[in-house]
């Protein structure tokens, strides 16, 4: 099973915790609770028949007194940046947080959520603000933790973006013969998830090193064994 760490980022009281609760338990509470440090929840989704567990790190809200700790971001496969549609100041904070996240994590997937859609008539965030975010090439979705509107879609969109970046690293259990030799039958396969840009290798006995790029059966899949591709 694939596990992916996702960070919930944004200013204080934008609804990060409520979005996680709505997604994980389908519940909502009007009572506001300040997140101290970080809380972690999990939910397993089925993506194209494959189970994917999202490990949700709900980080404390950033304000003028406390800033985002980069150490909390490390190891994240993606993140959500949450704004409160009724407080335009949360947009400025979100822009700053996104820069910090991008500097720490690189180009991992992220989605911007404009929360509190159930109070849209009271919004300070304007259509022009949304258009400017979209012009950056960002995915921007509208959500309501209270009603649940858009919440499932937000996490699904992010999960699909992560899966699209992933590739499989195959580690054969049999040390006798490489994956491209006469013995192509592989026993007790294990699959590890990694990210494009990182290096993955397969050790198939002394002096035998292989690397698989792409998913099994994909037309663009390339396998290398002892420095040579399968097509060589």
């Amino acid at each position: 099973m694939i596990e992916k760490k996702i960070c919930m980022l944004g200013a204080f009281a934008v609804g990060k915790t409520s979005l996680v609760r709505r997604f994980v338990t389908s519940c909502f509470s009007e009572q506001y609770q300040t997140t101290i440090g970080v809380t972690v929840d999990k939910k397993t989704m089925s993506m194209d028949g494959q189970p994917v567990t999202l490990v949700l790190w709900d980080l404390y809200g950033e304000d003028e007194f406390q800033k985002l700790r980069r150490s909390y971001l490390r190891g994240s496969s993606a993140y959500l940046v949450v704004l409160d549609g009724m407080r335009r100041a949360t947009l400025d904070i979100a822009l700053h947080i996104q820069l910090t996240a991008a500097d720490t994590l690189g180009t991992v997937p992220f989605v911007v959520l404009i929360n509190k859609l159930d109070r849209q008539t009271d919004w300070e965030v304007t259509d022009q603000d949304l258009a400017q975010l979209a012009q950056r090439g960002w995915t921007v979705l509208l959500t309501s933790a209270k009603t649940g509107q858009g919440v499932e879609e937000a996490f699904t969109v992010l999960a699909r973006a992560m899966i699209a970046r992933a590739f499989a690293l195959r580690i054969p259990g049999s040390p006798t013969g490489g994956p491209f030799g006469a013995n192509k039958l592989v026993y007790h396969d294990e699959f590890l998830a990694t990210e494009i840009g990182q290096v993955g290798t397969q050790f198939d006995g002394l002096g035998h090193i292989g690397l698989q790029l792409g998913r099994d059966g994909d037309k663009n899949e390339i396998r290398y064994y002892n420095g040579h591709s399968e097509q060589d």
Side-chain angles (χ1 to χ4, degrees):
M1 179 183 295
I2 297 174
E3 282 198 357
K4 296 286 187 178
K5 175 183 174 181
I6 296 175
C7 283
M8 305 290 296
L9 310 177
F12 74 94
V14 294
K16 299 184 298 295
T17 300
S18 294
L19 286 167
V20 171
R21 184 180 296 118
R22 169 62 70 178
F23 176 61
V24 174
T25 68
S26 300
C27 295
F28 175 79
S29 174
E30 293 282 2
Q31 184 176 1
Y32 174 68
Q33 293 183 337
T34 301
T35 300
I36 300 175
V38 59
T39 58
V40 180
D41 281 288
K42 288 186 178 184
K43 182 171 180 176
T44 299
M45 307 176 65
S46 178
M47 304 299 298
D48 300 324
Q50 182 180 25
V52 178
T53 297
L54 305 184
V55 183
L56 307 172
W57 283 48
D58 177 16
L59 305 186
Y60 59 86
E62 181 168 311
D63 57 25
E64 60 183 314
F65 300 107
Q66 57 180 2
K67 303 301 179 183
L68 178 64
R69 291 186 183 180
R70 292 173 182 259
S71 59
Y72 285 152
L73 295 173
R74 296 190 182 106
S76 299
S77 297
Y79 56 95
L80 289 165
V81 181
V82 185
L83 288 67
D84 179 349
M86 298 192 299
R87 295 155 52 210
R88 195 184 184 285
T90 64
L91 172 58
D92 297 327
I93 295 175
L95 294 174
H96 170 71
I97 288 176
Q98 194 281 327
L99 288 175
T100 301
D103 183 59
T104 304
L105 300 173
T107 56
V108 302
F110 72 96
V111 175
V112 177
L113 304 183
I114 317 297
N115 196 33
K116 305 188 181 179
L117 183 57
D118 54 288
R119 299 283 302 277
Q120 192 170 15
T121 56
D122 300 322
W123 275 19
E124 294 179 354
V125 175
T126 66
D127 290 341
Q128 183 178 359
D129 293 327
L130 301 182
Q132 289 176 350
L133 292 176
Q135 287 174 1
R136 294 171 177 257
W138 295 359
T139 300
V140 181
L141 301 175
L142 310 184
T143 59
S144 170
K146 184 174 183 177
T147 67
Q149 186 174 354
V151 176
E152 189 81 18
E153 176 191 1
F155 286 95
T156 300
V157 166
L158 192 63
R160 288 195 181 281
M162 288 188 297
I163 296 302
R165 296 183 77 249
F167 67 91
L169 173 64
R170 180 185 290 276
I171 304 178
S174 171
T176 58
F180 318 127
N183 178 17
K184 290 197 174 185
L185 183 62
V186 178
Y187 301 94
H188 308 299
D189 287 351
E190 295 181 50
F191 292 89
L192 301 180
T194 184
E195 298 294 331
I196 292 175
Q198 295 180 353
V199 176
T201 58
Q202 164 196 305
F203 296 92
D204 189 32
L206 293 177
H208 300 279
I209 300 176
L211 173 66
Q212 173 182 329
L213 299 177
R215 297 186 180 86
D216 288 342
D218 188 278
K219 65 179 181 180
N220 296 318
E221 177 189 12
I222 302 175
R223 299 187 183 189
Y224 294 92
Y225 190 64
N226 284 354
H228 299 281
S229 71
E230 188 175 17
Q231 290 80 15
D232 291 346

